Amino acid sequence: MEKITEVIQSVRLDDINDMLILLDQTVLPNQKVFLELKEMKDVWDAIYHLRVRGAPAIGIAAAYGVYLGTKKSEADTYEELYADFLKVKEYLASSRPTAVNLFWALDRMDKRFKQEEGKSVAEVKLALKEEAELIREEDEQVCKSIGEHALTLLKPGMGILTHCNAGTIATARYGTALAPIYLGQEQGYDFKVFADETRPLLQGARLTAWELKQAGVDVTLICDNMASIVMKEGKIQAVLVGCDRVAANGDTANKIGTSGVAILAKHYNIPFYVCAPLSTVDLECQTGEDIHIELRPSEEITSKWYGEPMAPEDVQTYNPAFDVTDHEFITGIVTENGIAYAPFSESLPKMFKK
Ligand code: MRU
């Protein structure tokens, strides 16, 4: 069987035609469509509409968006180009608020811009392209390392529950929470994975179940409200999730519903691990209270995939896209530099120093 982490690349630059190629994650699993984007406006739109989604993939797409947007500038000098760059950066920063990887990638592009001081406009534009490529390449290595560390926590045959999609298509390759599952699969671990469907946008059903099934992993799809019964029945030995932003004290924002899964895991005495590239750890947020939670349109919960209504017209809705899992429910945070344990306010900063 082909390795899915090798065949599916959800975000990459077509170097010859200078365009961003994105796997449209909104039409999976029914269609596999690759979008060809040349304008930063299209990149903004793809991020907002979740055509590209998952914290690391959003950051990578935004970095390419910076390149595409700045490339169009007609500036003659470094200073003029920087003024245009800042407009592009600000525009892309407004696409989604919660995943810190977006801002992390934009800041890294900014840093690279500043390192190029004194260079010609053409050279700076080329440097931005190079930096976006580097961000993508590094993410692949980071995810692999997360997978290797997380695999040390798991034993062959374990039942693993995951929420949302933190797989290969949410990153440059491998995923974060799914990385140890793919690495374990190659080594014959025979995990039994339970994927929460993840209402309202069904990332678990449409993306995680699809990814794992294609990779030949034993995956069982459940509705979100079935997590308790599978835990109670002894089918789950570990929970692995990704994240969108980890605060300094370990509080973690991830897809809506994650905190409920963590509370259940604690109740059933099941370890709950967060897989977090350091680009998702935001030490400037002291606690989860500081994390901006994205609110999304009502139609996401009142209609079947923006189609047929399934709730009364004009019903009041509340649709937060993420929730924060309190650090006390988290057994460990798996980064590319090792596993952080409580107290996270001490262990997380150390991860950056390795
Ligand atoms: O709204 P989404 O689909 O972008 O939310 C994605 C998640 O919550 C993922 O779990 C998280 O970004 C980690 S992806 C490696």
Side-chain angles (χ1 to χ4, degrees):
M1 171 149 339
E2 272 184 307
K3 286 183 192 166
I4 189 170
T5 61
E6 271 170 22
V7 285
I8 302 287
Q9 223 185 356
S10 66
V11 45
R12 69 177 176 89
L13 193 74
D14 172 343
D15 207 19
I16 297 165
N17 300 301
D18 230 15
M19 56 191 184
L20 176 58
I21 309 292
L22 282 186
L23 174 66
D24 185 349
Q25 299 194 35
T26 62
V27 296
L28 285 170
N30 302 325
Q31 297 171 56
K32 206 162 102 192
V33 175
F34 287 93
L35 306 169
E36 299 176 346
L37 311 182
K38 290 188 167 174
E39 309 287 334
M40 67 164 176
K41 201 179 100 349
D42 298 334
V43 179
W44 188 99
D45 199 64
I47 296 173
Y48 177 76
H49 290 290
L50 275 60
R51 299 191 200 292
V52 56
R53 43 126 328 263
I58 291 172
I60 298 165
Y64 284 128
V66 165
Y67 162 63
L68 293 176
T70 312
K71 193 186 78 170
K72 293 271 157 79
S73 164
E74 289 174 4
D76 292 320
T77 64
Y78 176 90
E79 289 73 22
E80 284 168 16
L81 187 67
Y82 189 57
D84 286 344
F85 165 89
L86 286 180
K87 284 185 209 147
V88 171
K89 183 182 166 194
E90 196 183 337
Y91 174 68
L92 289 167
S94 67
S95 54
R96 291 190 79 187
T98 305
V100 71
N101 302 61
L102 171 69
F103 309 96
W104 172 89
L106 295 176
D107 285 345
R108 188 161 147 176
M109 296 298 279
D110 198 333
K111 204 166 144 206
R112 178 65 190 262
F113 199 113
K114 288 179 181 139
Q115 281 168 1
E116 300 301 310
E117 194 164 1
K119 301 261 175 74
S120 72
V121 162
E123 283 170 326
V124 178
K125 288 179 180 176
L126 210 62
L128 292 179
K129 178 176 174 174
E130 198 180 276
E131 194 66 21
E133 279 288 85
L134 272 177
I135 290 175
R136 188 188 57 75
E137 280 166 24
E138 283 172 23
D139 187 61
E140 187 171 324
Q141 198 44 53
V142 160
C143 289
K144 190 161 188 224
S145 300
I146 289 175
E148 286 163 356
H149 288 299
L151 196 56
T152 65
L153 301 164
L154 307 172
K155 292 200 174 63
M158 268 187 167
I160 297 170
L161 185 120
T162 190
H163 190 76
C164 193
N165 171 267
T168 198
I169 59 172
T171 63
R173 191 175 161 190
Y174 298 107
T176 57
L178 297 194
I181 293 168
Y182 288 127
L183 297 183
Q185 173 79 359
E186 286 168 22
Q187 297 171 37
Y189 269 59
D190 276 335
F191 295 127
K192 313 261 175 285
V193 180
F194 287 78
D196 280 349
E197 64 171 346
T198 318
R199 276 278 290 153
L201 297 183
L202 306 178
Q203 287 92 334
R206 294 186 305 104
L207 309 176
T208 299
W210 171 77
E211 263 196 51
L212 292 176
K213 208 165 170 310
Q214 288 215 27
V217 174
D218 179 336
V219 57
T220 302
L221 176 64
I222 58 170
C223 298
D224 296 335
N225 51 9
M226 298 170 188
S228 179
I229 191 166
V230 294
M231 288 184 184
K232 189 170 184 167
E233 288 173 352
K235 295 186 166 77
I236 309 296
Q237 282 71 51
V239 178
L240 293 177
V241 294
C243 54
D244 289 82
R245 196 181 292 232
V246 180
N249 71 342
D251 289 353
T252 294
N254 190 46
K255 180 52 54 193
I256 191 72
T258 303
S259 66
V261 175
I263 293 165
L264 284 174
K266 179 107 173 174
H267 177 76
Y268 291 112
N269 212 10
I270 296 167
F272 180 95
Y273 297 107
V274 170
C275 295
L278 291 171
S279 54
T280 313
V281 178
D282 183 0
L283 297 180
E284 283 177 19
C285 282
Q286 294 308 307
T287 74
E289 294 282 315
D290 302 327
I291 301 176
H292 181 163
I293 299 292
E294 176 182 18
L295 292 178
R296 293 196 55 92
S298 310
E299 296 73 45
E300 291 183 351
I301 55 177
T302 57
S303 312
K304 284 188 192 160
W305 201 243
Y306 292 98
E308 194 184 326
M310 52 178 201
E313 209 181 328
D314 295 333
V315 67
Q316 277 189 69
T317 61
Y318 176 53
N319 183 19
F322 302 94
D323 61 21
V324 174
T325 299
D326 194 288
H327 62 275
E328 72 176 85
F329 297 110
I330 298 173
T331 313
I333 299 178
V334 186
T335 76
E336 63 270 35
N337 286 344
I339 306 168
Y341 292 99
F344 295 111
S345 50
E346 287 172 22
S347 58
L348 281 174
K350 285 186 193 146
M351 292 294 147
F352 285 89
K353 292 186 187 127
K354 285 192 180 174

